[in-house]
mmCIF file of all heavy atoms in Angstrom:
data_model
loop_
_atom_site.group_PDB
_atom_site.id
_atom_site.type_symbol
_atom_site.label_atom_id
_atom_site.label_comp_id
_atom_site.label_asym_id
_atom_site.label_seq_id
_atom_site.Cartn_x
_atom_site.Cartn_y
_atom_site.Cartn_z
ATOM 1 N N ARG B 496 -16.593 -2.124 -5.145
ATOM 2 C CA ARG B 496 -16.680 -2.561 -6.513
ATOM 3 C C ARG B 496 -18.109 -2.802 -6.984
ATOM 4 O O ARG B 496 -18.348 -2.677 -8.181
ATOM 5 C CB ARG B 496 -15.859 -3.930 -6.629
ATOM 6 C CG ARG B 496 -14.395 -3.805 -6.167
ATOM 7 C CD ARG B 496 -13.583 -2.923 -7.038
ATOM 8 N NE ARG B 496 -13.646 -3.251 -8.509
ATOM 9 C CZ ARG B 496 -12.924 -4.234 -8.955
ATOM 10 N NH1 ARG B 496 -12.013 -4.827 -8.233
ATOM 11 N NH2 ARG B 496 -13.021 -4.470 -10.285
ATOM 12 N N THR B 497 -18.924 -3.081 -6.073
ATOM 13 C CA THR B 497 -20.387 -3.158 -6.366
ATOM 14 C C THR B 497 -21.161 -2.309 -5.429
ATOM 15 O O THR B 497 -20.736 -2.145 -4.217
ATOM 16 C CB THR B 497 -20.937 -4.523 -6.304
ATOM 17 O OG1 THR B 497 -20.761 -5.054 -5.044
ATOM 18 C CG2 THR B 497 -20.268 -5.534 -7.318
ATOM 19 N N GLU B 498 -22.257 -1.723 -5.765
ATOM 20 C CA GLU B 498 -23.202 -1.188 -4.918
ATOM 21 C C GLU B 498 -24.664 -1.145 -5.386
ATOM 22 O O GLU B 498 -24.879 -1.202 -6.641
ATOM 23 C CB GLU B 498 -22.687 0.256 -4.622
ATOM 24 C CG GLU B 498 -22.673 1.149 -5.724
ATOM 25 C CD GLU B 498 -22.126 2.574 -5.400
ATOM 26 O OE1 GLU B 498 -21.788 2.804 -4.254
ATOM 27 O OE2 GLU B 498 -22.173 3.470 -6.391
ATOM 28 N N TRP B 499 -25.503 -1.225 -4.548
ATOM 29 C CA TRP B 499 -26.934 -1.116 -4.952
ATOM 30 C C TRP B 499 -27.698 -0.592 -3.711
ATOM 31 O O TRP B 499 -27.286 -0.593 -2.700
ATOM 32 C CB TRP B 499 -27.455 -2.439 -5.377
ATOM 33 C CG TRP B 499 -27.550 -3.546 -4.364
ATOM 34 C CD1 TRP B 499 -28.563 -3.962 -3.684
ATOM 35 C CD2 TRP B 499 -26.408 -4.419 -3.897
ATOM 36 N NE1 TRP B 499 -28.216 -5.009 -2.766
ATOM 37 C CE2 TRP B 499 -26.893 -5.245 -2.960
ATOM 38 C CE3 TRP B 499 -24.997 -4.484 -4.308
ATOM 39 C CZ2 TRP B 499 -26.106 -6.226 -2.321
ATOM 40 C CZ3 TRP B 499 -24.265 -5.395 -3.694
ATOM 41 C CH2 TRP B 499 -24.799 -6.294 -2.700
ATOM 42 N N ILE B 500 -28.889 -0.126 -3.969
ATOM 43 C CA ILE B 500 -29.733 0.422 -2.910
ATOM 44 C C ILE B 500 -30.901 -0.569 -2.764
ATOM 45 O O ILE B 500 -31.540 -0.890 -3.697
ATOM 46 C CB ILE B 500 -30.076 1.820 -3.315
ATOM 47 C CG1 ILE B 500 -28.962 2.754 -3.061
ATOM 48 C CG2 ILE B 500 -31.263 2.282 -2.406
ATOM 49 C CD1 ILE B 500 -29.211 4.145 -3.510
ATOM 50 N N GLU B 501 -31.159 -0.862 -1.490
ATOM 51 C CA GLU B 501 -32.261 -1.699 -1.148
ATOM 52 C C GLU B 501 -33.264 -0.755 -0.449
ATOM 53 O O GLU B 501 -32.836 0.072 0.370
ATOM 54 C CB GLU B 501 -31.799 -2.807 -0.171
ATOM 55 C CG GLU B 501 -31.091 -3.897 -0.972
ATOM 56 C CD GLU B 501 -30.639 -5.057 -0.155
ATOM 57 O OE1 GLU B 501 -30.836 -4.940 1.119
ATOM 58 O OE2 GLU B 501 -30.049 -5.908 -0.585
ATOM 59 N N PHE B 502 -34.536 -1.024 -0.738
ATOM 60 C CA PHE B 502 -35.543 -0.231 -0.050
ATOM 61 C C PHE B 502 -36.144 -1.103 1.010
ATOM 62 O O PHE B 502 -36.567 -2.180 0.649
ATOM 63 C CB PHE B 502 -36.595 0.283 -1.093
ATOM 64 C CG PHE B 502 -36.055 1.324 -1.967
ATOM 65 C CD1 PHE B 502 -35.607 1.075 -3.258
ATOM 66 C CD2 PHE B 502 -36.056 2.624 -1.583
ATOM 67 C CE1 PHE B 502 -34.960 2.002 -4.072
ATOM 68 C CE2 PHE B 502 -35.482 3.654 -2.343
ATOM 69 C CZ PHE B 502 -34.891 3.362 -3.607
ATOM 70 N N TRP B 503 -36.071 -0.661 2.218
ATOM 71 C CA TRP B 503 -36.584 -1.410 3.275
ATOM 72 C C TRP B 503 -37.681 -0.620 3.968
ATOM 73 O O TRP B 503 -37.635 0.547 3.996
ATOM 74 C CB TRP B 503 -35.566 -1.675 4.279
ATOM 75 C CG TRP B 503 -34.523 -2.720 3.962
ATOM 76 C CD1 TRP B 503 -33.650 -2.604 2.955
ATOM 77 C CD2 TRP B 503 -34.382 -3.984 4.587
ATOM 78 N NE1 TRP B 503 -32.856 -3.761 2.943
ATOM 79 C CE2 TRP B 503 -33.258 -4.654 3.824
ATOM 80 C CE3 TRP B 503 -35.002 -4.689 5.576
ATOM 81 C CZ2 TRP B 503 -32.853 -5.922 4.169
ATOM 82 C CZ3 TRP B 503 -34.525 -5.946 5.865
ATOM 83 C CH2 TRP B 503 -33.541 -6.559 5.214
ATOM 84 N N GLU B 504 -38.619 -1.354 4.437
ATOM 85 C CA GLU B 504 -39.671 -0.685 5.205
ATOM 86 C C GLU B 504 -39.191 -0.624 6.685
ATOM 87 O O GLU B 504 -38.795 -1.660 7.189
ATOM 88 C CB GLU B 504 -41.017 -1.403 5.166
ATOM 89 C CG GLU B 504 -42.074 -0.728 5.904
ATOM 90 C CD GLU B 504 -43.475 -1.430 5.738
ATOM 91 O OE1 GLU B 504 -43.470 -2.408 5.161
ATOM 92 O OE2 GLU B 504 -44.345 -0.814 6.280
ATOM 93 N N LEU B 505 -39.152 0.471 7.230
ATOM 94 C CA LEU B 505 -38.571 0.724 8.565
ATOM 95 C C LEU B 505 -39.673 1.490 9.328
ATOM 96 O O LEU B 505 -39.777 2.712 9.167
ATOM 97 C CB LEU B 505 -37.360 1.412 8.536
ATOM 98 C CG LEU B 505 -36.288 1.258 9.596
ATOM 99 C CD1 LEU B 505 -35.905 -0.207 9.798
ATOM 100 C CD2 LEU B 505 -35.104 1.995 9.429
ATOM 101 N N ALA B 506 -40.525 0.877 10.027
ATOM 102 C CA ALA B 506 -41.650 1.578 10.636
ATOM 103 C C ALA B 506 -41.680 1.216 12.083
ATOM 104 O O ALA B 506 -41.539 0.093 12.520
ATOM 105 C CB ALA B 506 -42.980 1.328 9.954
ATOM 106 N N LYS B 507 -41.956 2.240 12.915
ATOM 107 C CA LYS B 507 -42.050 1.914 14.375
ATOM 108 C C LYS B 507 -43.374 1.402 14.669
ATOM 109 O O LYS B 507 -44.479 1.780 14.096
ATOM 110 C CB LYS B 507 -41.930 3.305 15.030
ATOM 111 C CG LYS B 507 -41.791 3.161 16.599
ATOM 112 C CD LYS B 507 -41.012 4.372 17.140
ATOM 113 C CE LYS B 507 -41.170 4.439 18.615
ATOM 114 N NZ LYS B 507 -41.100 3.206 19.322
ATOM 115 N N ILE B 508 -43.337 0.369 15.495
ATOM 116 C CA ILE B 508 -44.626 -0.247 15.877
ATOM 117 C C ILE B 508 -45.051 0.509 17.231
ATOM 118 O O ILE B 508 -44.244 0.413 18.230
ATOM 119 C CB ILE B 508 -44.351 -1.738 16.177
ATOM 120 C CG1 ILE B 508 -44.043 -2.424 14.918
ATOM 121 C CG2 ILE B 508 -45.630 -2.326 16.821
ATOM 122 C CD1 ILE B 508 -43.485 -3.860 15.020
ATOM 123 N N GLU B 509 -46.101 0.952 17.108
ATOM 124 C CA GLU B 509 -46.685 1.673 18.325
ATOM 125 C C GLU B 509 -47.901 0.946 18.931
ATOM 126 O O GLU B 509 -48.801 0.810 18.230
ATOM 127 C CB GLU B 509 -47.004 3.158 17.939
ATOM 128 C CG GLU B 509 -45.807 3.973 17.587
ATOM 129 C CD GLU B 509 -46.134 5.207 16.945
ATOM 130 O OE1 GLU B 509 -46.488 6.266 17.669
ATOM 131 O OE2 GLU B 509 -46.181 5.202 15.702
ATOM 132 N N ASN B 510 -47.677 0.658 20.189
ATOM 133 C CA ASN B 510 -48.831 -0.022 20.842
ATOM 134 C C ASN B 510 -49.487 0.968 21.706
ATOM 135 O O ASN B 510 -49.193 1.121 22.825
ATOM 136 C CB ASN B 510 -48.233 -1.168 21.695
ATOM 137 C CG ASN B 510 -47.740 -2.334 20.863
ATOM 138 O OD1 ASN B 510 -48.431 -2.698 19.902
ATOM 139 N ND2 ASN B 510 -46.565 -2.811 21.160
ATOM 140 N N ARG B 511 -50.391 1.613 21.059
ATOM 141 C CA ARG B 511 -51.054 2.712 21.783
ATOM 142 C C ARG B 511 -52.508 2.231 22.117
ATOM 143 O O ARG B 511 -53.143 1.470 21.432
ATOM 144 C CB ARG B 511 -51.173 3.955 20.945
ATOM 145 C CG ARG B 511 -49.835 4.671 20.910
ATOM 146 C CD ARG B 511 -50.036 5.951 20.211
ATOM 147 N NE ARG B 511 -50.315 5.719 18.844
ATOM 148 C CZ ARG B 511 -50.297 6.772 17.932
ATOM 149 N NH1 ARG B 511 -50.004 7.967 18.218
ATOM 150 N NH2 ARG B 511 -50.678 6.505 16.680
ATOM 151 N N THR B 512 -52.893 2.713 23.241
ATOM 152 C CA THR B 512 -54.260 2.365 23.703
ATOM 153 C C THR B 512 -55.064 3.614 23.663
ATOM 154 O O THR B 512 -54.588 4.715 23.983
ATOM 155 C CB THR B 512 -54.268 1.684 25.062
ATOM 156 O OG1 THR B 512 -53.483 2.591 25.932
ATOM 157 C CG2 THR B 512 -53.748 0.333 25.163
ATOM 158 N N ALA B 513 -56.289 3.468 23.205
ATOM 159 C CA ALA B 513 -57.116 4.723 23.091
ATOM 160 C C ALA B 513 -57.529 5.177 24.462
ATOM 161 O O ALA B 513 -57.778 4.391 25.335
ATOM 162 C CB ALA B 513 -58.408 4.295 22.262
ATOM 163 N N SER B 514 -57.430 6.449 24.621
ATOM 164 C CA SER B 514 -57.926 7.017 25.801
ATOM 165 C C SER B 514 -58.575 8.379 25.522
ATOM 166 O O SER B 514 -58.435 8.873 24.403
ATOM 167 C CB SER B 514 -56.769 7.194 26.831
ATOM 168 O OG SER B 514 -55.979 8.213 26.339
ATOM 169 N N ALA B 515 -59.199 8.905 26.468
ATOM 170 C CA ALA B 515 -59.855 10.199 26.211
ATOM 171 C C ALA B 515 -58.834 11.261 25.896
ATOM 172 O O ALA B 515 -59.105 12.136 25.004
ATOM 173 C CB ALA B 515 -60.739 10.535 27.424
ATOM 174 N N ALA B 516 -57.752 11.244 26.478
ATOM 175 C CA ALA B 516 -56.757 12.251 26.298
ATOM 176 C C ALA B 516 -56.061 12.126 24.927
ATOM 177 O O ALA B 516 -55.872 13.098 24.303
ATOM 178 C CB ALA B 516 -55.634 12.137 27.422
ATOM 179 N N SER B 517 -55.737 10.858 24.531
ATOM 180 C CA SER B 517 -55.075 10.672 23.250
ATOM 181 C C SER B 517 -55.854 9.572 22.503
ATOM 182 O O SER B 517 -55.545 8.457 22.600
ATOM 183 C CB SER B 517 -53.653 10.308 23.439
ATOM 184 O OG SER B 517 -53.539 8.982 24.044
ATOM 185 N N PRO B 518 -56.825 10.062 21.727
ATOM 186 C CA PRO B 518 -57.545 9.097 21.022
ATOM 187 C C PRO B 518 -56.696 8.307 19.906
ATOM 188 O O PRO B 518 -55.841 8.985 19.300
ATOM 189 C CB PRO B 518 -58.719 9.922 20.346
ATOM 190 C CG PRO B 518 -58.240 11.261 20.415
ATOM 191 C CD PRO B 518 -57.171 11.388 21.486
ATOM 192 N N LEU B 519 -56.928 7.109 19.775
ATOM 193 C CA LEU B 519 -56.068 6.327 18.860
ATOM 194 C C LEU B 519 -56.330 6.809 17.437
ATOM 195 O O LEU B 519 -57.393 7.009 16.956
ATOM 196 C CB LEU B 519 -56.580 4.866 18.952
ATOM 197 C CG LEU B 519 -55.687 3.960 18.045
ATOM 198 C CD1 LEU B 519 -54.253 3.732 18.535
ATOM 199 C CD2 LEU B 519 -56.384 2.506 18.175
ATOM 200 N N ARG B 520 -55.153 7.172 16.792
ATOM 201 C CA ARG B 520 -55.292 7.614 15.444
ATOM 202 C C ARG B 520 -55.776 6.509 14.514
ATOM 203 O O ARG B 520 -55.102 5.455 14.487
ATOM 204 C CB ARG B 520 -53.935 8.190 15.048
ATOM 205 C CG ARG B 520 -53.942 8.973 13.769
ATOM 206 C CD ARG B 520 -52.659 9.812 13.554
ATOM 207 N NE ARG B 520 -51.516 8.828 13.464
ATOM 208 C CZ ARG B 520 -50.383 9.159 13.025
ATOM 209 N NH1 ARG B 520 -50.164 10.415 12.767
ATOM 210 N NH2 ARG B 520 -49.349 8.341 12.875
ATOM 211 N N GLN B 521 -56.702 6.740 13.832
ATOM 212 C CA GLN B 521 -57.280 5.718 13.053
ATOM 213 C C GLN B 521 -56.716 5.589 11.647
ATOM 214 O O GLN B 521 -56.287 4.554 11.250
ATOM 215 C CB GLN B 521 -58.884 5.912 12.894
ATOM 216 C CG GLN B 521 -59.672 5.516 14.053
ATOM 217 C CD GLN B 521 -59.479 4.027 14.458
ATOM 218 O OE1 GLN B 521 -59.467 3.171 13.503
ATOM 219 N NE2 GLN B 521 -59.325 3.717 15.624
ATOM 220 N N MET B 522 -56.532 6.665 10.972
ATOM 221 C CA MET B 522 -56.044 6.665 9.676
ATOM 222 C C MET B 522 -54.539 7.017 9.628
ATOM 223 O O MET B 522 -54.132 7.957 10.226
ATOM 224 C CB MET B 522 -56.753 7.689 8.765
ATOM 225 C CG MET B 522 -58.189 7.190 8.402
ATOM 226 S SD MET B 522 -58.143 5.703 7.505
ATOM 227 C CE MET B 522 -57.342 6.272 6.005
ATOM 228 N N GLY B 523 -53.843 6.203 8.883
ATOM 229 C CA GLY B 523 -52.411 6.508 8.668
ATOM 230 C C GLY B 523 -52.237 7.774 7.725
ATOM 231 O O GLY B 523 -52.978 7.920 6.783
ATOM 232 N N ASN B 524 -51.291 8.464 8.078
ATOM 233 C CA ASN B 524 -50.915 9.676 7.158
ATOM 234 C C ASN B 524 -50.260 9.150 5.980
ATOM 235 O O ASN B 524 -49.470 8.249 6.082
ATOM 236 C CB ASN B 524 -49.939 10.643 8.055
ATOM 237 C CG ASN B 524 -49.675 11.858 7.318
ATOM 238 O OD1 ASN B 524 -49.742 11.885 6.134
ATOM 239 N ND2 ASN B 524 -49.384 12.811 8.126
ATOM 240 N N GLU B 525 -50.583 9.640 4.860
ATOM 241 C CA GLU B 525 -50.017 9.148 3.627
ATOM 242 C C GLU B 525 -48.520 9.393 3.567
ATOM 243 O O GLU B 525 -47.778 8.582 3.068
ATOM 244 C CB GLU B 525 -50.738 9.819 2.487
ATOM 245 C CG GLU B 525 -50.509 8.989 1.131
ATOM 246 C CD GLU B 525 -51.433 9.638 0.127
ATOM 247 O OE1 GLU B 525 -51.003 10.576 -0.530
ATOM 248 O OE2 GLU B 525 -52.524 9.108 -0.102
ATOM 249 N N ARG B 526 -48.121 10.425 4.154
ATOM 250 C CA ARG B 526 -46.706 10.728 4.114
ATOM 251 C C ARG B 526 -45.910 9.745 5.015
ATOM 252 O O ARG B 526 -44.759 9.370 4.671
ATOM 253 C CB ARG B 526 -46.446 12.173 4.667
ATOM 254 C CG ARG B 526 -45.119 12.779 4.427
ATOM 255 C CD ARG B 526 -44.759 12.926 2.991
ATOM 256 N NE ARG B 526 -43.264 12.792 2.743
ATOM 257 C CZ ARG B 526 -42.755 12.696 1.584
ATOM 258 N NH1 ARG B 526 -43.470 12.478 0.513
ATOM 259 N NH2 ARG B 526 -41.388 12.644 1.523
ATOM 260 N N ASP B 527 -46.554 9.354 6.032
ATOM 261 C CA ASP B 527 -45.891 8.283 6.964
ATOM 262 C C ASP B 527 -45.555 7.049 6.132
ATOM 263 O O ASP B 527 -44.503 6.448 6.315
ATOM 264 C CB ASP B 527 -46.886 7.884 8.060
ATOM 265 C CG ASP B 527 -46.884 8.829 9.203
ATOM 266 O OD1 ASP B 527 -45.940 9.752 9.192
ATOM 267 O OD2 ASP B 527 -47.645 8.662 10.157
ATOM 268 N N LEU B 528 -46.506 6.776 5.278
ATOM 269 C CA LEU B 528 -46.316 5.562 4.434
ATOM 270 C C LEU B 528 -45.078 5.700 3.546
ATOM 271 O O LEU B 528 -44.397 4.681 3.395
ATOM 272 C CB LEU B 528 -47.608 5.337 3.584
ATOM 273 C CG LEU B 528 -48.045 3.971 3.207
ATOM 274 C CD1 LEU B 528 -48.273 3.177 4.527
ATOM 275 C CD2 LEU B 528 -49.200 3.978 2.375
ATOM 276 N N VAL B 529 -45.063 6.760 2.877
ATOM 277 C CA VAL B 529 -43.877 7.061 1.990
ATOM 278 C C VAL B 529 -42.623 7.053 2.806
ATOM 279 O O VAL B 529 -41.583 6.447 2.410
ATOM 280 C CB VAL B 529 -44.108 8.370 1.314
ATOM 281 C CG1 VAL B 529 -42.886 8.634 0.431
ATOM 282 C CG2 VAL B 529 -45.348 8.338 0.398
ATOM 283 N N GLU B 530 -42.650 7.674 3.883
ATOM 284 C CA GLU B 530 -41.444 7.788 4.684
ATOM 285 C C GLU B 530 -41.011 6.447 5.395
ATOM 286 O O GLU B 530 -39.914 6.387 5.867
ATOM 287 C CB GLU B 530 -41.681 8.946 5.765
ATOM 288 C CG GLU B 530 -41.707 10.324 5.136
ATOM 289 C CD GLU B 530 -41.702 11.418 6.079
ATOM 290 O OE1 GLU B 530 -41.717 11.159 7.309
ATOM 291 O OE2 GLU B 530 -41.500 12.603 5.698
ATOM 292 N N SER B 531 -41.887 5.568 5.543
ATOM 293 C CA SER B 531 -41.485 4.307 6.153
ATOM 294 C C SER B 531 -40.630 3.494 5.245
ATOM 295 O O SER B 531 -39.925 2.580 5.618
ATOM 296 C CB SER B 531 -42.721 3.544 6.532
ATOM 297 O OG SER B 531 -43.332 3.105 5.338
ATOM 298 N N ILE B 532 -40.537 3.846 3.969
ATOM 299 C CA ILE B 532 -39.619 3.209 2.980
ATOM 300 C C ILE B 532 -38.352 3.914 2.987
ATOM 301 O O ILE B 532 -38.299 5.061 2.571
ATOM 302 C CB ILE B 532 -40.224 3.114 1.595
ATOM 303 C CG1 ILE B 532 -41.627 2.517 1.644
ATOM 304 C CG2 ILE B 532 -39.323 2.325 0.668
ATOM 305 C CD1 ILE B 532 -41.678 1.025 1.797
ATOM 306 N N VAL B 533 -37.237 3.312 3.407
ATOM 307 C CA VAL B 533 -35.967 4.021 3.444
ATOM 308 C C VAL B 533 -34.919 3.346 2.571
ATOM 309 O O VAL B 533 -34.948 2.116 2.408
ATOM 310 C CB VAL B 533 -35.324 4.122 4.894
ATOM 311 C CG1 VAL B 533 -36.173 5.152 5.680
ATOM 312 C CG2 VAL B 533 -35.237 2.850 5.550
ATOM 313 N N PRO B 534 -34.211 4.106 1.822
ATOM 314 C CA PRO B 534 -33.179 3.533 1.005
ATOM 315 C C PRO B 534 -31.925 3.178 1.779
ATOM 316 O O PRO B 534 -31.395 4.089 2.503
ATOM 317 C CB PRO B 534 -32.920 4.626 0.008
ATOM 318 C CG PRO B 534 -33.282 5.870 0.634
ATOM 319 C CD PRO B 534 -34.232 5.543 1.655
ATOM 320 N N LEU B 535 -31.389 1.960 1.715
ATOM 321 C CA LEU B 535 -30.206 1.625 2.334
ATOM 322 C C LEU B 535 -29.207 1.179 1.357
ATOM 323 O O LEU B 535 -29.510 0.442 0.490
ATOM 324 C CB LEU B 535 -30.448 0.438 3.329
ATOM 325 C CG LEU B 535 -31.491 0.646 4.398
ATOM 326 C CD1 LEU B 535 -31.659 -0.700 5.209
ATOM 327 C CD2 LEU B 535 -31.238 1.787 5.223
ATOM 328 N N ILE B 536 -27.989 1.765 1.436
ATOM 329 C CA ILE B 536 -26.973 1.392 0.467
ATOM 330 C C ILE B 536 -26.173 0.201 0.923
ATOM 331 O O ILE B 536 -25.834 0.062 2.041
ATOM 332 C CB ILE B 536 -26.094 2.620 0.091
ATOM 333 C CG1 ILE B 536 -25.259 2.325 -1.195
ATOM 334 C CG2 ILE B 536 -25.206 2.991 1.308
ATOM 335 C CD1 ILE B 536 -24.883 3.465 -1.899
ATOM 336 N N ARG B 537 -25.946 -0.683 -0.012
ATOM 337 C CA ARG B 537 -25.167 -1.827 0.258
ATOM 338 C C ARG B 537 -23.932 -1.819 -0.736
ATOM 339 O O ARG B 537 -24.151 -1.520 -1.913
ATOM 340 C CB ARG B 537 -25.921 -3.121 0.057
ATOM 341 C CG ARG B 537 -27.052 -3.340 1.096
ATOM 342 C CD ARG B 537 -27.529 -4.756 1.045
ATOM 343 N NE ARG B 537 -26.637 -5.657 1.570
ATOM 344 C CZ ARG B 537 -26.880 -6.921 1.762
ATOM 345 N NH1 ARG B 537 -28.166 -7.448 1.595
ATOM 346 N NH2 ARG B 537 -25.932 -7.808 2.191
ATOM 347 N N ARG B 538 -22.780 -2.108 -0.144
ATOM 348 C CA ARG B 538 -21.587 -2.094 -1.042
ATOM 349 C C ARG B 538 -20.914 -3.428 -0.954
ATOM 350 O O ARG B 538 -20.854 -4.040 0.169
ATOM 351 C CB ARG B 538 -20.730 -1.035 -0.594
ATOM 352 C CG ARG B 538 -21.339 0.405 -0.845
ATOM 353 C CD ARG B 538 -20.238 1.527 -0.811
ATOM 354 N NE ARG B 538 -20.759 2.628 -1.349
ATOM 355 C CZ ARG B 538 -21.071 3.801 -0.708
ATOM 356 N NH1 ARG B 538 -20.882 3.790 0.550
ATOM 357 N NH2 ARG B 538 -21.523 4.885 -1.317
#
Side-chain angles (χ1 to χ4, degrees):
Chain B
R496 304 296 303 279
T497 58
E498 62 182 4
W499 65 98
I500 285 177
E501 285 178 357
F502 290 94
W503 285 69
E504 183 176 3
L505 203 62
K507 188 155 165 41
I508 296 169
E509 290 166 84
N510 290 316
R511 284 186 297 192
T512 47
S514 71
S517 65
L519 183 64
R520 193 167 58 167
Q521 282 299 317
M522 283 301 293
N524 186 333
E525 200 168 86
R526 193 64 207 165
D527 276 355
L528 209 63
V529 176
E530 289 189 351
S531 68
I532 306 286
V533 290
L535 304 180
I536 193 151
R537 293 192 69 170
R538 293 193 164 113

